[in-house]
Amino acid sequence: TVVFMFLAACASLSGKIRAFPALRCMTMMLFLPIFVVSVALFWMTAIALGIGSLANADFCTGKVDNAGPEGTLAGIFDLRGMNRSNSAMYTSFEYFRSQCATRNPIETLYVYEDQIQRGISSATAFLNQAADIGV
């Protein structure tokens, strides 16, 4: 509706649509300036929120000895009691934190890759057969 209103105002101002003088005056003196100012304010707000989001992403408190995003995550894991070695999330975090020096937590899933590929092949064959008979 905003686009339609803007196009109608432009057409009215161009003289292609015969409009009442009062409507033309309201369009030119009231609606068009309000629309232009609103668009400018919305763009400035979007830019400010984008800059604020980027700045907030870099300012993490963390622990004093471990400041920064990694310290914040470590603090969250400690608060939630997830700093056990049997937690997949914590093990993955430690793998990232140690710059891949510890054991890869996803490595245990690689043994299932062949089974998953066979399952995908089987499902594809089943779907093709179902499509051939018209189901």
Side-chain angles (χ1 to χ4, degrees):
T1 56
V2 173
V3 174
F4 173 74
M5 290 171 51
F6 181 71
L7 292 176
C10 289
S12 173
L13 292 174
S14 69
K16 294 184 180 187
I17 294 178
R18 191 172 172 105
F20 295 113
L23 178 62
R24 185 177 291 230
C25 181
M26 281 189 344
T27 303
M28 190 173 244
M29 299 297 177
L30 182 68
F31 296 137
L32 194 58
I34 289 174
F35 179 74
V36 170
V37 169
S38 297
V39 168
L41 286 174
F42 290 142
W43 272 107
M44 287 189 291
T45 303
I47 290 170
L49 287 174
I51 291 171
S53 297
L54 286 174
N56 191 29
D58 289 336
F59 297 129
C60 296
T61 55
K63 295 180 181 178
V64 176
D65 58 339
N66 242 353
E70 291 177 10
T72 301
L73 284 174
I76 291 170
F77 285 133
D78 287 340
L79 271 171
R80 299 290 181 200
M82 296 176 65
N83 56 354
R84 298 179 299 274
S85 60
N86 61 353
S87 170
M89 288 181 66
Y90 185 76
T91 308
S92 299
F93 171 68
E94 283 298 321
Y95 180 69
F96 166 76
R97 187 185 210 179
S98 69
Q99 296 179 350
C100 306
T102 62
R103 188 178 69 80
N104 185 353
I106 309 298
E107 193 174 86
T108 56
L109 300 177
Y110 292 152
V111 295
Y112 300 110
E113 184 177 6
D114 292 332
Q115 293 175 359
I116 292 171
Q117 290 301 327
R118 283 195 303 263
I120 291 172
S121 302
S122 174
T124 303
F126 174 75
L127 290 174
N128 289 337
Q129 289 174 355
D132 289 343
I133 62 172
V135 173

